[in-house]
């Protein structure tokens, strides 16, 4: 959680204006909330008990004023924090997609495109939750708690003392639940990714599936992944659903104690009726932000795992490293010297030596899987040879920048690509 804040707080630096308004909004919400509780006091003490008619005329305006402050604050805060969150996510998505386009060919062969899609979309939208909702809500709810707690202590330090020693007791069960939540959220994200990649597999192999009539087999394989998704999401739901009841029961214990002790204070004349009700109202109001905070903590667990998965992608570095020299001359010769290429365990090319000169037309002939495409892949550095060298005009092709290399070599793939563009 701390790491998450540390990672995403720097993003806020670029949004000073929006951040300023967001904080202003949060302060208005916190002050407005404490103000609502405080209004109870004059209503009871001055209006109902002392029958103060002037105060009665004033109260409705104060009430509307306090709620307007709270409402305005919430609006301003929501707008500006969402703005920041959405914009950070937009930048992240750009960064991730651009990063992907530079990764090795090998990366795309070993990771399913469904898995990548899931990371760029699902994982990022979980992270979006953190930046757009969790961090701002965390700050706002904490401010509300501080304002209300401050008010409660101001109104009656003695009563507040009893309440505030019970509150920390709630933290222990909640932190256990949060741990469980993190575990299930990781499992549910992983199973969702598995299911998505299985679907991708089905779609890309549909001809094979249909021609072999293996639909039943595929359905069963998919159903297994699908069942896993269901199982882990339900475990997540169960853990999450336990949080509120636990908080509520603990809250009722605290409030019971407060009513008992506060009632005695009022009966003994140490506290006015208005002060007691204002105090009790502030306590009741504390319940909501505390509950929200614990919910936020659970949501953050979800985002933490998504964040780790996204950084796995961002930290994957291409192994095909571009050179620095521009290939500006026309290609006069291409020569392969003792070139071998492996794809994992598969030996695709072995000791190939070949010389090609400008103006020659060369046909590579061989069975399917003989390695024709592999040889061409080496020229454009989709892969680097395991052994041997590829020289262009007598210079190792690793010396050149990839952009200039690709500008000089026209590559027509045997796969069909369609870009959705003009
Ligand atoms: N990315 C890859 N990962 C693992 N193995 C691969 C990969 N690309 C090709 N192969 C394997 O390497 C061998 C050579 O494949 P290549 O695509 O170069 O053959 P090809 O001569 O172009 O065949 P075709 O005529 O079918 O296009 C084959 O056994 C193939 O299965
Ligand atoms: Mg081929």
């Amino acid at each position: 959680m701390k790491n998450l804040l540390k990672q995403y707080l720097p993003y806020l630096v670029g949004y000073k204006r929006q951040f300023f308004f967001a904080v202003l909004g949060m302060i208005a919400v916190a002050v407005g909330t404490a103000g609502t509780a405080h209004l109870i006091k004059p209503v009871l003490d001055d209006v109902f008990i002392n029958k103060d008619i002037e105060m009665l005329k004033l109260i409705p305006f104060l009430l509307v004023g306090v709620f307007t402050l709270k409402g305005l604050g919430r609006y301003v805060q929501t707008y500006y924090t969402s703005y920041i969150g959405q914009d950070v996510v937009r930048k992240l998505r750009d960064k991730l997609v651009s990063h992907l386009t530079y990764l090795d060919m090998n990366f795309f062969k070993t990771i399913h495109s469904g898995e990548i899609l899931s990371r760029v979309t699902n994982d990022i939208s979980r992270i979006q939750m953190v930046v757009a909702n969790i961090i701002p809500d965390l700050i706002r709810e904490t401010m509300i708690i501080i304002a209300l707690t401050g008010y409660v202590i101001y109104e009656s330090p003695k009563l507040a003392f009893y309440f505030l020693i019970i509150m920390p007791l709630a933290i222990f069960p909640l932190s256990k639940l949060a741990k469980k939540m993190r575990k299930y959220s990781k499992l549910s994200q992983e199973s969702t990714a598995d299911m998505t990649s299985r679907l991708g597999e089905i779609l890309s192999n549909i001809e094979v599936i249909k021609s072999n009539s293996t639909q039943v087999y595929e359905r069963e394989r998919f159903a297994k992944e699908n069942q896993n998704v269901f199982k882990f999401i339900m475990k997540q739901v169960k853990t999450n659903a336990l949080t509120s009841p636990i908080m509520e029961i603990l809250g009722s214990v605290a409030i019971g104690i407060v009513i008992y002790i506060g009632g005695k204070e009022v009966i003994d004349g140490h506290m006015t009726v208005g002060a007691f009700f204002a105090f009790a109202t502030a306590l009741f109001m504390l319940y909501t932000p505390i509950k929200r905070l614990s919910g936020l903590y659970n949501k953050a667990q979800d985002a933490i795992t998504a964040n780790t998965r996204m950084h796995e992608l961002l930290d994957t570095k291409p192994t095909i490293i571009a050179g620095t020299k521009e290939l500006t001359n026309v290609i006069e010769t291409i020569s392969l010297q003792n070139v071998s290429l492996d794809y994992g365990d598969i030996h695709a090319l072995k000791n190939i030596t070949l010389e090609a000169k400008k103006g020659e037309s060369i046909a590579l002939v061989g069975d399917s899987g003989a390695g024709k495409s592999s040889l061409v892949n080496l020229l454009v550095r989709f892969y680097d040879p395991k052994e041997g060298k590829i020289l262009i005009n007598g210079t190792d092709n690793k010396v050149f920048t990839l952009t200039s290399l690709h500008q000089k070599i026209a590559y027509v793939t045997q796969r069909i690509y369609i870009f959705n563009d003009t």
Side-chain angles (χ1 to χ4, degrees), residues 273-335:
V273 174
F276 174 75
F277 274 98
F279 178 91
T281 309
L283 270 195
F284 276 115
M285 287 175 121
L286 261 175
Y287 173 72
T288 317
I290 291 176
K291 199 181 118 185
R292 282 221 186 108
L293 268 193
S294 67
L296 286 182
Y297 192 71
N298 285 350
K299 267 191 221 157
Q301 302 310 314
D302 214 39
I304 287 170
T305 31
N307 190 50
T308 315
R309 283 158 50 88
M310 190 193 71
H311 275 91
E312 270 170 27
L313 266 195
L314 278 178
D315 293 341
T316 309
K317 296 274 176 279
T319 56
I320 310 270
I321 308 291
T324 49
K325 201 176 162 201
E326 298 286 335
L327 174 59
T328 44
N329 298 341
V330 175
I331 297 179
E332 300 283 350
T333 61
I334 295 177
S335 65

Side-chain angles (χ1 to χ4, degrees), residues 237-290:
V237 168
K238 205 165 111 186
T239 318
N240 215 6
L242 260 179
T243 315
S244 292
I246 289 181
M247 287 294 288
E248 231 162 89
I249 293 166
L250 286 170
S252 71
V253 172
I255 285 168
I257 293 174
V258 164
I259 289 180
Y260 180 77
I261 296 169
K264 268 188 97 172
E265 291 279 284
V266 174
I267 291 171
D268 294 344
H270 296 316
M271 208 179 184
T272 67
V273 174
F276 174 75
F277 274 98
F279 178 91
T281 309
L283 270 195
F284 276 115
M285 287 175 121
L286 261 175
Y287 173 72
T288 317
I290 291 176

Side-chain angles (χ1 to χ4, degrees), residues 312-381:
E312 270 170 27
L313 266 195
L314 278 178
D315 293 341
T316 309
K317 296 274 176 279
T319 56
I320 310 270
I321 308 291
T324 49
K325 201 176 162 201
E326 298 286 335
L327 174 59
T328 44
N329 298 341
V330 175
I331 297 179
E332 300 283 350
T333 61
I334 295 177
S335 65
L336 280 71
Q337 300 183 343
N338 277 321
V339 167
S340 301
L341 173 68
D342 288 356
Y343 298 111
D345 297 337
I346 299 169
H347 307 297
L349 299 172
K350 205 169 164 191
N351 286 333
I352 307 283
T353 300
L354 183 129
E355 176 96 19
K357 292 201 178 62
K358 188 183 165 204
E360 285 178 349
S361 299
I362 295 180
L364 294 169
V365 184
D367 288 344
S368 175
K372 304 177 294 291
S373 299
S374 299
L375 199 147
V376 177
N377 285 345
L378 286 176
L379 297 183
V380 287
R381 292 194 72 203

